[in-house]
């Protein structure tokens, strides 16, 4: 409840700031149940509420040192970088680029929230939303589609074993269902798969 988030408005075609109201609920989506949330948008003379918002339209505010990809100039290519700072009003980010770019003087640039997205480098410990039964489950990034022009490119994650399976498995999922691990689990590559809690 009251978690600070960024919400993508399809009407305005931009990311807006807000907070989650309540604990969310589950709705049917075909044969599965998916979480949806009520959010309250910041700014404006009147409180704006959006109900039944899916996770594909939400993201946590990016933090300093977070790995990201950014679009520069008029190109649709995504370039790697890390967050240096975040500006709340108007919403935007300063990013340190990890490679040179012909339209940028120096190695830092400011970008709008629509031209930045989380990046999940290979080997990063993450958690993946596996549905109502498993919830957020630990794994390690094996590959991310860095060339994809979609806002939420697919990420391949090697999942840790769980109570339904004692073997690892690779899962391909949109990056909106992936988040950097808070517990930093490690998936063992040996025959005995265990989780280490650091």
């Amino acid at each position: 409840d009251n978690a600070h988030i960024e919400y993508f408005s399809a009407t305005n075609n931009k990311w807006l700031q807000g907070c989650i109201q309540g604990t969310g609920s589950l709705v049917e989506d075909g044969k599965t149940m998916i979480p949806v949330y009520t959010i309250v948008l910041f700014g404006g003379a009147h409180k704006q509420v959006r109900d039944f918002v899916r996770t594909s339209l939400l993201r946590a505010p990016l933090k300093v040192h977070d790995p990201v990809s950014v679009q520069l100039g008029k190109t649709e290519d995504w370039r790697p970088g890390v967050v240096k700072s975040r500006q709340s009003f108007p919403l935007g980010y300063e990013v340190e680029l990890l490679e040179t770019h012909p339209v940028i003087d120096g190695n830092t640039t400011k970008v709008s929230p629509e031209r930045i997205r989380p990046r999940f480098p290979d080997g990063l410990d993450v958690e993946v939303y596996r549905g109502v039964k498993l919830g957020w489950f630990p794994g390690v990034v094996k590959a991310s589609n860095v060339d994809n022009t979609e806002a939420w490119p697919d990420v391949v994650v090697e999942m840790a074993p769980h109570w339904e399976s004692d073997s690892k498995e690779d899962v391909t999922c949109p990056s909106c269902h992936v988040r950097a691990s808070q517990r930093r689990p490690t998936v063992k590559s040996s025959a005995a798969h265990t989780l280490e809690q650091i």
Side-chain angles (χ1 to χ4, degrees), residues 48-182:
Q48 298 185 58
V49 178
R50 299 289 185 271
D51 294 315
F52 302 106
V53 178
R54 300 188 178 207
T55 56
S56 58
L57 297 176
L58 299 174
R59 71 182 183 192
L62 300 168
K63 303 184 297 297
V64 174
H65 304 310
D66 276 357
V68 293
S69 297
V70 295
Q71 286 181 318
L72 303 172
K74 297 180 179 180
T75 178
E76 292 188 346
D77 295 340
W78 291 87
R79 303 300 180 102
V82 294
V83 175
K84 288 196 67 177
S85 64
R86 180 181 185 272
Q87 177 179 292
S88 294
F89 297 101
L91 181 58
Y93 291 90
E94 183 180 18
V95 175
E96 180 179 350
L97 302 175
L98 299 185
E99 57 185 36
T100 59
H101 192 278
V103 303
I104 301 299
D105 184 16
N107 65 340
T108 61
T109 186
K110 293 183 177 181
V111 295
S112 67
E114 293 75 47
R115 300 182 72 82
I116 187 171
R117 69 187 186 190
R119 178 171 56 88
F120 299 97
D122 294 355
L124 180 69
D125 291 329
V126 295
E127 294 175 346
V128 177
Y129 184 72
R130 301 295 308 277
V132 177
K133 191 171 185 179
L134 290 177
W136 290 93
F137 208 78
V140 175
V141 175
K142 291 191 68 175
S144 57
N145 194 346
V146 295
D147 296 326
N148 195 310
T149 59
E150 298 295 326
W152 294 111
D154 287 344
V155 180
V156 179
V157 178
E158 179 185 296
M159 303 305 302
H162 52 83
W163 58 86
E164 290 189 334
S165 173
D166 59 1
S167 62
K168 62 186 179 182
E169 60 176 325
D170 292 348
V171 172
T172 301
C173 52
S175 54
C176 61
H177 288 168
V178 182
R179 67 186 183 189
S181 175
Q182 303 299 313

